[in-house]
Amino acid sequence: MVIELSRRSAATGVFEGLAHVVIGDPPDPGPAAAAFLSAISPAELEKAALDRHDLMDGRQHELTRAMLALLREWALGQWGEPEPEDGE
């Protein structure tokens, strides 16, 4: 919260009078997440997940975990290929 005193105030840091304070609620991420997910092509997501061998580890639910990892990356704007590790 920032309170700015009037320029006419003689003392710094002293407030005398009425103020209107509004406290906002953080936005609901649900609608933005729904819009983001609605724009994803299921076929492209599946292809991208299957093409990302760095996300496949042979454990149970690997495709779902790979898809979720891709969706996190895409939500952060990381649309390209993964960066190669040192020595590759």
Side-chain angles (χ1 to χ4, degrees):
M1 175 170 54
V2 176
I3 298 176
E4 294 181 12
L5 300 177
S6 169
R7 293 185 185 152
R8 293 177 273 153
S9 176
T12 57
V14 175
F15 177 77
E16 199 172 299
L18 299 175
H20 180 92
V21 177
V22 177
I23 299 174
D25 291 327
D28 178 10
F36 170 75
L37 293 172
S38 294
I40 302 295
S41 161
E44 288 298 317
L45 177 60
E46 183 177 338
K47 180 183 180 318
L50 292 171
D51 288 345
R52 283 284 301 270
H53 300 288
D54 62 314
L55 299 177
M56 302 302 222
D57 57 11
R59 293 184 305 155
Q60 191 174 23
H61 310 296
E62 72 177 347
L63 180 59
T64 303
R65 282 186 287 100
M67 288 179 173
L68 290 171
L70 279 170
L71 290 171
R72 279 190 299 273
E73 290 176 10
W74 293 353
L76 295 171
Q78 300 167 354
W79 299 99
E81 292 297 316
E83 295 294 322
E85 295 180 15
D86 291 340
E88 289 186 23

